[in-house]
């Protein structure tokens, strides 16, 4: 086998191992939100939105990049721990989306106090951790859009059901004293 093919094989193997390692570490694979879920999530953001949007676990950038393009006035920041998806998301936004930053960081370890909107597609354990953090840090009136998984003890202002076999929920929350128990 030629050297170039070996190099490619090693690179691909390394990338797969890295994704597996981070999946085990974070507890979730970088599976992107479906096209339908993305459309619903984006449709929940008002036209001309100019606040600060945080994506907790931005994966391959398949939500962060369209979000930053559709809302050029907003400041979008995606936090992601998995190196390969993060690298791909940075390639994806190359030369565009001046309003998008993609950071290698644990969203549980950064302040979310100045977020106007938090979007996520995680898993129940991460939602519990995020719940505690949001209760501590989020300012009243800030919104959360979550694909599939609910924030425990929060009452959504709206729940969309996707027209798929699981009737996948998209939860829309607004952080107020009344909305959490
Ligand atoms: C199911 S994917 C969703 C990707 C993207 N949000 C979307 O909807 O297309 C979840 C992502 O969250 C990332 N993640 C999980 N826990 C994290 C943490 N504590 N800090 C940063 N990223 C995390 C995972 O690496 C994974 O890429």
């Amino acid at each position: 086998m030629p050297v170039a093919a070996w190099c490619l094989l090693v690179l691909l193997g390394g990338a797969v191992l890295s994704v597996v390692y981070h999946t085990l570490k974070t507890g979730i694979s970088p599976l992107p939100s479906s096209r339908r879920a993305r459309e619903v999530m984006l449709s929940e953001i008002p036209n001309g939105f100019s606040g600060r949007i945080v994506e907790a676990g931005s994966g391959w950038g398949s939500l962060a990049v369209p979000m930053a393009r559709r809302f050029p006035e907003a400041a979008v920041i995606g936090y992601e721990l998995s190196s390969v998806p993060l690298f791909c998301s940075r390639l994806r936004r190359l030369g565009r989306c001046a309003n998008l930053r993609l950071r290698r960081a644990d969203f549980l370890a950064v302040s979310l106090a100045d977020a106007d909107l938090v979007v996520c597609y995680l898993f129940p354990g991460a939602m519990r951790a995020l719940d505690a953090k949001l209760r501590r840090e989020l300012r009243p009136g800030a919104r959360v859009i979550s694909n599939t998984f609910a924030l425990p003890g929060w009452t959504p202002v709206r729940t969309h059901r996707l027209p798929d076999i699981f009737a996948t929920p998209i939860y829309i929350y607004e952080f107020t004293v009344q909305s959490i128990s």
Side-chain angles (χ1 to χ4, degrees):
M1 200 167 17
V3 176
W6 276 112
C7 290
L8 193 64
L9 209 63
V10 169
L11 267 179
L12 280 176
V16 170
L17 282 179
S18 168
V19 170
V20 171
Y21 168 76
H22 285 101
T23 296
L24 295 174
K25 193 174 164 192
T26 61
I28 185 162
S29 77
L31 181 74
S33 290
S34 68
R35 185 181 51 79
R36 281 175 175 155
R38 274 200 312 269
E39 278 166 12
V40 171
M41 292 166 95
L42 292 177
S43 75
E44 274 291 340
I45 307 174
N47 287 333
F49 187 78
S50 61
R52 185 178 168 84
I53 305 177
V54 171
E55 184 170 10
S58 47
W60 308 92
S62 41
L63 180 59
V65 172
M67 193 154 59
R69 294 184 75 187
R70 194 179 300 185
F71 304 99
E73 322 272 285
V76 182
I77 180 153
Y79 294 108
E80 176 55 57
L81 280 176
S82 189
S83 312
V84 175
L86 178 65
F87 175 75
C88 294
S89 67
R90 285 176 172 163
L91 280 185
R92 200 171 187 159
R93 59 144 271 190
L94 216 61
R96 47 188 191 160
C97 303
N99 60 329
L100 171 63
R101 282 188 300 149
L102 295 162
R103 300 262 316 274
R104 181 183 166 79
D106 181 342
F107 60 76
L108 295 173
V110 298
S111 171
L112 300 179
D114 57 357
D116 297 295
L117 171 65
V118 176
V119 296
C120 60
Y121 174 28
L122 296 164
F123 65 102
M127 294 307 282
R128 282 194 292 278
L130 193 58
D131 163 43
K133 185 172 175 61
L134 294 177
R135 284 173 195 251
R136 277 194 311 272
E137 297 180 4
L138 218 53
R139 51 168 196 74
R143 292 203 150 202
V144 181
I145 301 179
S146 176
N147 181 358
T148 308
F149 300 102
L151 276 168
W154 292 49
T155 306
V157 286
R158 240 181 329 284
T159 303
H160 295 269
R161 293 274 167 187
L162 299 182
D164 58 25
I165 51 168
F166 305 109
T168 302
I170 306 286
Y171 298 100
I172 317 297
Y173 299 100
E174 185 169 319
F175 183 57
T176 59
V177 176
Q178 296 81 19
S179 67
I180 55 172
S181 58

